[in-house]
Amino acid sequence: RVRRPYSYLHTVNAFPREVEVWDRSGKVLYKLASLPLADEVPIEGVPKGPRGYEWHATEGAALVWVEALDEGDPKKKVSHRDRILMLKAPFKSEPVELFKTEHRYRSMQWGERGELLFVRDFDRDRRWIRTQLVEAGKDSAPRVLFSHSSNERYNNPGTLLTRELPNGQRVVLRHGDFVYLAGAGATPEGDRPFLDRLNLQTLKTERLFRSDEQSYETVVGLITDDARQIITRRERPVEPSNYYVRTLNVGAAGGGTNGGADDASNLRALTRIPDATPQLRDIKKQLVTYKRADGVDLSFTLYLPPGYKEGTRLPTVVWAYPLEFTDPTTAGQVTGSTQRYTSITGSSHLFFLLAGYAVLDNATMPIVGDPETMNNTYVEQITASAKAAIDKAAAMGVTDPERVGVGGHSYGAFMTANMLAHTDLFRAGIARSGAYNRTLTPFGFQSERRTIWEAPELYIKVSPFMNAHRINEPLLLIHGEADNNSGTFPIQSERMYQAMRGTGGTVRYVTLPLESHGYAARESTEHTLYEMISWFDKHVKNAPPRKPREEKAKN
């Protein structure tokens, strides 16, 4: 129960609360915690006291919860950060400690027999995730199942498959000594989803299924517990997503194969959803890889409009969202697949394809470095990434480098405004639901750990608002009037608009009534598309040749 005093400064999740166990008549049987307003949680920390409380998945009336051993402060040096506790009805005894995590607790899943607990913790300094197998009620040491970077894609083990019990709880599905894992299967050539099984005795993993190279097929679930029959969802660029029953050749103790992923005899269609947008089938797309000047591998998915004639240079849209990495190896790993059915929904930037633009979708903008200081070179890294993308597309003969626009949503909008403030690579920008003045988010932003009082120069440097006078390209700002994202209140766009207007910039500000951080209403979606395409048609596609000018001064 949340209780008073309510806060106008924090969301309901931080309100004071009572955590109680009731019987069916509403009588309080046990009070787990009386939690105060969570207004002093450190950056990247957790509240003090019980959190993550839930019922044991297989044990009748047993509470399980997590408590911090470092007072929720990630900067404190301790041997263990969290502990998992359990207390059985009638809640008269002391809680039993099930496990201590060395790093910050992330999640836990019970095996369907209740004797196994799969626990994940997260090392924030290394950005490292570890999954351990704990045998509940035994003194045996936990066994490490997986240990990898949180940014790891190529060697990501996938997600444990679960089943729902009659009590509504989900548990890890087990068949004999095996549990199952499904994942995206990222590769340098794109995603190839897979199904693996893991032997809990030997901890060895074997592959049962992998999507072929000519389609994109994901595992929805198992029909039989031995995985001889599974349900998949399969699509190709020219075929919409449909559901299938796939038969696998699974051995009892090993040697599982995909049973011939290309063999149609192994597939039985469950649905036959037709192509609802045949006019999009002539859209061409391909994965493009290249390098940044500092050697970091980058990629984008190149989309070309229907009727494109090879060798024609087109006005181009670069759409991106920066991500943080601790090392260049994971930063360069490819995500996504060109084998997916091409569809365009909502206020997607892919609608530019129908207006004759090329689109560099998900152009990677990695920010690589020490988690404590990586944003010190934020501007330089996004600039280098953008230049590399434009140079590659121009070298392929598809992009007119003098007619390129940049856009993004949320943190991508922040990136967009910074691109216009610090470079002359683009003719115009579209920034949707972004944050532009980092003094309004003084306690950190995205993955930034320092406060404005610890790194004031950084907050000024990366704030497009503080560099509004340097933006000499047109910028379209779009924002939902009811944006409830803590870092992107509408005041961010309002003040950015006034800053550019006051310093002589070309700017348009569109507000969407009743919309939050994303846009849902049909009127909002259609108006957003109208504004975006009109803006780039005027300032990118049909922009007059630029006069030679000096490059913007570096910081």
Side-chain angles (χ1 to χ4, degrees):
R1 295 183 290 115
V2 295
R3 60 175 172 82
R4 296 182 186 276
Y6 302 146
S7 173
Y8 287 93
L9 301 178
H10 301 273
T11 62
V12 67
N13 291 334
F15 283 10
R17 65 185 58 233
E18 305 295 322
V19 186
E20 302 166 341
V21 176
W22 294 359
D23 66 13
R24 291 181 178 178
S25 67
K27 178 183 176 182
V28 177
L29 300 181
Y30 177 69
K31 177 176 284 191
L32 174 60
S34 182
L35 302 174
L37 177 69
D39 61 344
E40 297 181 355
V41 178
I43 294 175
E44 293 193 348
V46 297
K48 299 176 184 178
R51 71 183 199 276
Y53 28 83
E54 59 186 52
W55 291 112
H56 190 302
T58 64
E59 188 89 33
L63 278 175
V64 182
W65 68 92
V66 181
E67 289 183 0
L69 296 172
D70 58 1
E71 297 185 321
D73 188 349
K75 293 185 178 180
K76 286 193 173 183
K77 303 297 182 182
V78 294
S79 59
H80 294 86
R81 296 244 169 244
D82 286 309
R83 63 175 180 168
I84 302 172
L85 298 170
M86 182 175 74
L87 180 61
K88 297 182 180 182
F91 316 112
K92 302 297 183 182
S93 58
E94 290 298 313
V96 176
E97 184 176 277
L98 297 179
F99 189 63
K100 288 181 180 178
T101 60
E102 180 182 357
H103 303 292
R104 183 66 69 212
Y105 165 86
R106 256 295 172 84
S107 65
M108 62 181 170
Q109 291 175 284
W110 291 97
E112 60 181 311
R113 300 170 193 169
E115 82 282 22
L116 296 179
L117 184 60
F118 301 81
V119 181
R120 296 172 191 83
D121 63 359
F122 175 66
D123 181 350
R124 79 172 197 133
D125 293 328
R126 296 174 63 207
R127 292 178 179 265
W128 204 263
I129 292 179
R130 178 175 55 180
T131 303
Q132 299 182 81
L133 180 60
V134 180
E135 295 191 58
K138 294 186 179 181
D139 295 330
S140 57
R143 293 185 290 167
V144 176
L145 297 184
F146 312 112
S147 182
H148 55 86
S149 166
S150 60
N151 297 124
E152 178 61 52
R153 300 183 180 106
Y154 292 169
N155 296 306
N156 192 297
T159 302
L160 288 163
L161 295 190
T162 62
R163 79 157 94 241
E164 185 173 318
L165 298 178
N167 63 7
Q169 298 277 7
R170 298 204 70 88
V171 293
V172 175
L173 187 156
R174 180 174 178 178
H175 177 68
D177 290 333
F178 296 106
V179 294
Y180 300 94
L181 296 141
T187 75
E189 292 75 39
D191 291 353
R192 293 181 62 187
F194 65 84
L195 173 67
D196 286 351
R197 69 176 179 179
L198 169 70
N199 189 308
L200 295 175
Q201 301 302 320
T202 65
L203 300 188
K204 292 184 178 179
T205 301
E206 56 184 306
R207 182 134 299 172
L208 302 181
F209 166 77
R210 187 187 189 194
S211 179
D212 62 50
E213 296 178 343
Q214 287 75 45
S215 66
Y216 182 83
E217 187 172 358
T218 60
V219 176
V220 177
L222 307 187
I223 296 177
T224 58
D225 286 354
D226 61 3
R228 291 180 187 275
Q229 282 195 319
I230 62 176
I231 296 178
T232 67
R233 186 172 60 243
R234 188 172 188 265
E235 60 190 278
R236 296 197 304 138
V238 295
E239 292 180 8
S241 176
N242 274 284
Y243 290 88
Y244 295 85
V245 173
R246 179 175 280 282
T247 301
L248 302 180
N249 179 21
V250 179
T257 69
N258 64 10
D262 299 317
D263 186 355
S265 65
N266 293 314
L267 278 179
R268 177 166 58 88
L270 290 177
T271 63
R272 289 184 173 83
I273 300 170
D275 187 351
T277 53
Q279 60 269 45
L280 302 183
R281 287 324 109 222
D282 196 29
I283 290 174
K284 303 293 190 298
K285 59 182 174 181
Q286 69 178 96
L287 175 67
V288 178
T289 58
Y290 50 102
K291 287 185 180 292
R292 202 163 70 181
D294 59 3
V296 174
D297 291 321
L298 303 176
S299 64
F300 57 71
T301 299
L302 171 64
Y303 284 84
L304 296 172
Y308 174 74
K309 294 182 179 180
E310 188 173 350
T312 304
R313 292 191 179 273
L314 300 174
T316 300
V317 176
V318 175
W319 201 268
Y321 188 98
L323 296 173
E324 296 85 2
F325 300 85
T326 55
D327 67 275
T329 302
T330 54
Q333 292 182 350
V334 173
T335 59
S337 172
T338 57
Q339 299 306 315
R340 302 203 67 171
Y341 172 71
T342 302
S343 61
I344 307 178
T345 60
S347 53
S348 171
H349 50 283
L350 295 182
F351 274 106
F352 278 107
L353 293 166
L354 305 183
Y357 292 78
V359 176
L360 312 188
D361 187 33
N362 192 28
T364 51
M365 300 278 172
I367 311 303
V368 185
D370 186 322
E372 296 290 342
T373 58
M374 61 173 58
N375 280 323
N376 288 356
T377 55
Y378 173 86
V379 170
E380 291 81 1
Q381 293 198 57
I382 63 170
T383 298
S385 296
K387 185 178 186 305
I390 295 172
D391 288 349
K392 180 64 176 180
M396 295 174 67
V398 299
T399 288
D400 178 356
E402 290 300 311
R403 294 188 296 162
V404 182
V406 62
H409 190 95
S410 193
Y411 204 53
F414 172 66
M415 171 210 72
T416 295
N418 265 305
M419 289 287 194
L420 300 190
H422 297 284
T423 81
D424 284 322
L425 295 171
F426 301 98
R427 299 302 303 268
I430 297 171
R432 303 188 332 198
S433 299
Y436 313 103
N437 182 354
R438 285 304 172 192
T439 69
L440 297 178
T441 57
F443 296 101
F445 56 91
Q446 207 71 359
S447 294
E448 177 56 52
R449 297 176 176 178
R450 296 164 291 181
T451 68
I452 192 173
W453 299 278
E454 295 172 304
E457 296 84 3
L458 166 71
Y459 277 69
I460 298 300
K461 175 183 176 181
V462 301
S463 292
F465 176 85
M466 301 298 180
N467 297 280
H469 61 292
R470 303 175 62 198
I471 299 178
N472 48 17
E473 297 88 6
L475 177 62
L476 172 64
L477 298 166
I478 303 176
H479 218 121
E481 287 186 351
D483 193 328
N484 61 352
N485 189 46
S486 59
T488 57
F489 289 130
I491 192 175
Q492 291 276 5
S493 289
E494 294 167 9
R495 294 295 182 262
M496 188 66 194
Y497 170 75
Q498 295 292 352
M500 287 190 64
R501 286 277 294 174
T503 56
T506 301
V507 60
R508 179 174 173 82
Y509 177 35
V510 177
T511 63
L512 303 174
L514 306 178
E515 294 290 358
S516 186
H517 193 57
Y519 319 141
R522 178 173 179 173
E523 295 89 340
S524 301
T525 297
E526 292 181 346
H527 190 76
T528 297
L529 291 173
Y530 163 77
E531 294 285 352
M532 289 169 52
I533 294 172
S534 297
W535 191 255
F536 273 4
D537 277 355
K538 179 178 180 180
H539 297 293
V540 177
K541 178 190 286 187
N542 300 309
R546 285 198 285 200
K547 297 178 180 178
R549 56 182 175 178
E550 294 183 3
E551 185 180 351
K552 288 177 180 166
K554 297 181 179 179
N555 288 321

